[in-house]
Amino acid sequence: MNINTFRAFRSRNYRLYFTGQSISLIGTWMQRTTVYWLIYTQTHSAFMLGLIVFAAQFPSFLLSPLGGVISDRYNRYRVMLVTQVASLLQAVALVVVIMFTHYALWEIFALSVILGTINAFDVPARQAMVNEIIKHKEDLPNAIALNSSMVNIARLIGPAISGIILEKMGAGTCFLINALSFIVVIVCLLLMTFPNYIPQKHTKKVIHEFKEGWVYLKNTPAIGLVILLIASISITVLPFTTLLPVFAKVIFKGNAATFGYLNSAIGFGAVIGTVFLASIKSGVNLKKILFFSILILGVGLIIFSHITSFYVALVFATLSGFGMMTQTTVSNTIIQTSVSQEMRGRIISYFAMAYFGMLPLGGLLIGIVSQFIGAPNTILAEGIVAILIAFVFLPYLKKDVLKEKDKITLLELEDPTVTTTQ
């Protein structure tokens, strides 16, 4: 770690953004962990775990392109305020259902669909807004890496806390903490200062702007191939987390706390990866890091899949978390530092489709497969697939089609308004 690791904190708005999001994301991971545990303990079905992932994230796949257009057409700051308030209301509804009614599983599924719909509009606006809250544009790649750190620190802390609270105080308390966390992020957003927003006159229809984003993506394979790579990983490999409740309860004979520790181990590995990425020096070829991070993810999953010792499994869950976070963040960085400003929201929405949108389909796939071959063999297969994907994309990752701009670093930013093509 060096002085450049936290360069983005020079911007006051980013400090507020980071503070609010960090607290809110801890609550989000507590809620996610609790929902998955509730579903599995009541159904004992890996397929139902896949189905809840599908319910929570498939709306993002369907609606993210529209969310990207909204992000490019309107004030992203106001869009984000609206989505955060909506997320608060969803969390409060979950608290009421769990704590004050005799809830049914369909209610949890319905509220998960609502949250997924909100996220379809929140993610493009929130990701694209980072560029606006960074005062020194050369700090943008560092801000992207720090964003990953906040997500993964939350993933380290949130599941561990939720596992303990689940055992001691019940699911409703976990959901209540998440609801309260949204108040913090909303306050931080209200404390930010921006120049007066000047609305742009939009002469084009929404569907036309959506098509513009698709044409831009096809004509910019430097971005399109990275999105295709992340989509492949998201649908076949990253849903391994869907099966963690099975490992916690069946393989390791544990409880909700065991499930929380497994999630936290993955989060710990992701934090290590974040610090690594935020600290790398100039001139590092990100595509090389992308290739090796996918290999690390694959190897970690292969070994984790058939280990029966819980403490040894935590080590390889950490390794898997490192590979998972690194490949996702590097992909995001390549995209954000290559896309033109006027297309930023729409292209980020395609990234969200590839990442968040493919996960629910993968969750269903993994849930079905595990019903036939078991959770350990399913994760073993996912690790093998990760290695195969890395080598399938290796010719592209080795090809120096971006020449010098292919060596974007996480500490130095090329002009983000320049469109690069391959």
Side-chain angles (χ1 to χ4, degrees), residues 340-404:
S340 62
Q341 177 64 22
E342 65 272 13
M343 290 288 176
R344 186 175 299 275
R346 277 165 281 184
I347 298 305
I348 289 176
S349 74
Y350 283 114
F351 173 79
M353 284 182 67
Y355 183 58
F356 299 106
M358 291 295 103
L359 279 174
L361 297 175
L364 274 181
L365 174 65
I366 295 308
I368 293 171
V369 170
S370 66
Q371 293 288 101
F372 293 96
I373 66 174
N377 287 334
T378 301
I379 289 188
L380 172 64
E382 289 181 276
I384 294 171
V385 169
I387 294 174
L388 291 175
I389 289 175
F391 281 101
V392 166
F393 279 86
L394 181 60
Y396 158 69
L397 297 176
K398 290 174 65 176
K399 191 175 181 181
D400 192 21
V401 289
L402 280 178
K403 298 181 180 179
E404 291 304 315

Side-chain angles (χ1 to χ4, degrees), residues 133-372:
I133 63 179
I134 292 295
K135 185 176 181 181
H136 308 280
K137 298 306 179 185
E138 67 273 14
D139 295 342
L140 177 59
N142 179 247
I144 295 171
L146 290 175
N147 283 354
S148 294
S149 76
M150 79 166 81
V151 172
N152 293 301
I153 289 173
R155 183 169 190 156
L156 172 64
I157 298 172
I161 295 175
S162 65
I164 295 171
I165 292 179
L166 266 170
E167 289 297 310
K168 303 293 184 182
M169 305 174 69
T173 303
C174 292
F175 295 142
L176 177 61
I177 292 173
N178 178 50
L180 294 174
S181 73
F182 281 109
I183 297 175
V184 178
V185 72
I186 292 170
V187 169
C188 287
L189 284 172
L190 293 174
L191 290 174
M192 292 182 183
T193 56
F194 292 93
N196 291 332
Y197 177 73
I198 302 175
Q200 301 294 317
K201 186 177 181 180
H202 300 286
T203 59
K204 302 174 183 177
K205 295 181 179 179
V206 170
I207 188 64
H208 182 73
E209 293 193 4
F210 170 74
K211 290 179 180 178
E212 281 184 340
W214 178 250
V215 171
Y216 177 86
L217 189 62
K218 290 197 299 182
N219 293 332
T220 316
I223 297 173
L225 285 169
V226 173
I227 289 179
L228 180 60
L229 172 60
I230 199 68
S232 302
I233 293 289
S234 295
I235 197 170
T236 59
V237 182
L238 297 188
F240 77 90
T241 56
T242 303
L243 299 178
L244 291 183
V246 182
F247 275 78
K249 193 169 184 67
V250 178
I251 307 297
F252 302 123
K253 312 297 182 185
N255 52 24
T258 309
F259 177 45
Y261 294 145
L262 282 173
N263 272 293
S264 293
I266 294 172
F268 181 60
V271 170
I272 295 173
T274 298
V275 174
F276 162 70
L277 290 178
S279 304
I280 61 175
K281 297 180 180 179
S282 302
V284 174
N285 189 325
L286 288 186
K287 288 183 179 179
K288 183 180 293 185
I289 295 177
L290 182 56
F291 172 73
F292 283 106
S293 65
I294 297 172
L295 289 184
I296 291 171
L297 172 59
V299 171
L301 290 179
I302 288 171
I303 300 175
F304 172 83
S305 66
H306 282 75
I307 286 179
T308 55
S309 168
F310 177 66
Y311 295 105
V312 177
L314 289 178
V315 174
F316 290 100
T318 300
L319 184 66
S320 300
F322 176 90
M324 178 182 69
M325 193 290 308
T326 304
Q327 61 90 27
T328 302
T329 301
V330 169
S331 298
N332 190 15
T333 301
I334 293 173
I335 292 168
Q336 290 226 39
T337 51
S338 301
V339 67
S340 62
Q341 177 64 22
E342 65 272 13
M343 290 288 176
R344 186 175 299 275
R346 277 165 281 184
I347 298 305
I348 289 176
S349 74
Y350 283 114
F351 173 79
M353 284 182 67
Y355 183 58
F356 299 106
M358 291 295 103
L359 279 174
L361 297 175
L364 274 181
L365 174 65
I366 295 308
I368 293 171
V369 170
S370 66
Q371 293 288 101
F372 293 96

Side-chain angles (χ1 to χ4, degrees), residues 98-162:
I98 297 299
M99 296 187 74
F100 301 105
T101 70
H102 298 289
Y103 67 92
L105 288 183
W106 72 263
E107 293 173 299
I108 299 178
F109 276 88
L111 287 170
S112 296
V113 170
I114 292 172
L115 182 59
T117 303
I118 295 168
N119 286 338
F121 296 90
D122 176 70
V123 172
R126 178 157 43 90
Q127 291 281 345
M129 201 179 78
V130 174
N131 184 61
E132 299 175 11
I133 63 179
I134 292 295
K135 185 176 181 181
H136 308 280
K137 298 306 179 185
E138 67 273 14
D139 295 342
L140 177 59
N142 179 247
I144 295 171
L146 290 175
N147 283 354
S148 294
S149 76
M150 79 166 81
V151 172
N152 293 301
I153 289 173
R155 183 169 190 156
L156 172 64
I157 298 172
I161 295 175
S162 65

Side-chain angles (χ1 to χ4, degrees), residues 15-61:
R15 293 196 300 271
L16 287 168
Y17 175 91
F18 188 93
T19 300
Q21 287 296 311
S22 295
I23 295 172
S24 179
L25 284 168
I26 291 174
T28 297
W29 273 106
M30 291 181 65
Q31 175 171 304
R32 183 177 300 182
T33 303
T34 303
V35 166
Y36 292 173
W37 186 254
L38 280 179
I39 295 297
Y40 186 69
T41 54
Q42 293 197 28
T43 66
H44 301 285
S45 169
F47 172 75
M48 292 299 290
L49 283 173
L51 193 60
I52 190 64
V53 172
F54 181 84
Q57 298 184 358
F58 190 68
S60 294
F61 175 77

